[in-house]
Amino acid sequence: MKTIIIGGGLGGLSAATTLAAHGEETILFEKNEHFGGKMKSIDIDGYHFDFGPNTITMPYVFEDILRMGGMDKTLTYRLLDVHTRNQFPDGTIFDLSSDRNYMMEQLKSFDQKGWKTYDRFLQDITKLFRTSYSSFLSRAFTSKRDYISFSLLKDTINVRPLMSMDRFFHSYFTSPYVRMALNRYATYVGSDPYRAPATFAMIAYLELMEGVYYVEGGNTKIAEAMTRAATNAGARLHAGTEVKSLVQAKDHIRGVVLENGEYVEADHVIINGDIGQTLPALLGEKQPTYDPSISAFVILAGLDASLPLHHHHLLFSDDYKKEFAELKAGRYSDDPTIYISTSRKSDPAVSPNGDNCFILVNAPPGQEIDADEYKQLIYDKLHRNGIRVSSHIQTESIWTPQDIETRFSSFRGALYGPSVNNKKQAFLRPRNKSDRFRNLYFAGGSTHPGGGSPIVTLSGQNVANHILGILTET
Ligand SMILES: Cc1cc2nc3c(=O)[nH]c(=O)nc-3n(C[C@H](O)[C@H](O)[C@H](O)COP(=O)(O)OP(=O)(O)OC[C@H]3O[C@@H](n4cnc5c(N)ncnc54)[C@H](O)[C@@H]3O)c2cc1C
């Protein structure tokens, strides 16, 4: 049996490795010159940047795939003790860490309720994660029946689908600083904490219980290792090769046509590209109307200095709720929360000449802005808060939602496929199998179970296991 995979993001590479390691003939086509999709290494003037995933969780998910291609234990994952520094407009600092005692010390000084409830909070988010993992994350959703089983319904109720993330955090913490720091987890699935269901508080479990990791040499080493694992397992990977269309028979896909006009037959086809953008383009149909997750305005700035920044550093806005209301209305915030990842703080060798700042601000999907003006607004805010990036710039590159859309064929530049703001989209994510074509599958951030580097890796593995007939834990 022969499987064609369209797209070499982490989801595509994971599916390719799993299928090839089980003896399936597997061919992957990627339109860009690099594999890894949004996880992209960018090297400019001696500065290394990890575009895309800067925050890495669940390393065991990557290791599972790498093992199949003989590449496990080739990466060095470093657990970041105090992984995220949250800085607020009045200068208050609240850090996030998987060290419970460190968290308790901080909570004791400015959130007495949180200090008392923290252990219960950790237990509750652990339950949320475990239920989500066994019911949603570890298997492909291929038919409507998958959404209506009794056990899933029971589990869905246990993951509090009707409460918002913000309400959930409210029930444990009184400090607005603590709640803002935790609410930001909604953005990890491209959503709004005031609307996204509490289910996604499970992300707090990953960061506060399991921890945040960094891969020595840059997180993009994960994509490199997965590419080698897929090749070692026997998959044939083609970069710089866009698939232009799907050749349809009545109820199945016969094969694909490449940009040079070549026709390649297949028994199964997996689309790893964003469903909202790639599927209609390949079928010559209209784009869907779903609500995409948020996009990003990104500045890669190489500096000639080492600034007082943490590896993961946040500078919050005055009014976090207003910021999400602006994004919802399709506007860029004039007081955005700014995220800066400077991997040099943990790994000086990746950027010997000075800080390598990956600066990200949430952006409304599909909306453009004057990039120079908005960059200046971001630099001015950083400057006012003692982070003098603009006086030290040696090299700079800006990415807007349009660039993200063009480069990765991502619907309206969304980072994580459809948003999970409305409950229907959160729990009825596009399934992993087509309704119309019996041999067409989907893997990656725009399908089940969702976005984020480990989750898309699971998505690819789940789809491959489904094709192989391997049952996964439910
Ligand atoms: C700025 C930014 C910050 C992020 N931060 C984090 C983070 O800190 N932590 C985290 O875990 N995740 C983060 N993410 C999300 C993470 O990068 C994605 O969820 C994940 O990498 C998506 O993987 P994917 O398999 O869905 O495919 P993608 O990476 O979207 O890759 C799909 C591939 O398909 C290719 N393709 C599409 N159509 C065709 C075609 N017709 N022919 C051939 N190829 C095609 C595209 O070129 C692309 O390479 C971030 C993303 C971005 C953009």
Side-chain angles (χ1 to χ4, degrees), residues 7 11 30-32 37-38 52-55 243 272 415-416 444-445 452-453:
E30 165 55 54
K31 81 175 173 67
N32 290 328
K38 296 186 183 95
N54 277 276
T55 301
V243 173
N272 169 232
L415 304 190
Y416 304 92
S453 53

Side-chain angles (χ1 to χ4, degrees), residues 424-435:
K424 186 164 167 252
Q425 278 193 193
F427 291 100
L428 300 179
R429 253 188 124 65
R431 289 195 291 277
N432 299 108
K433 188 165 193 259
S434 162
D435 284 337

Side-chain angles (χ1 to χ4, degrees), residues 84-87 184 312-316 337-340:
T84 309
R85 169 142 299 173
N86 299 289
Q87 181 176 336
R184 195 181 72 90
H312 297 289
H313 200 114
L314 262 304
L315 185 58
F316 274 88
T337 292
I338 305 172
Y339 164 74
I340 310 179

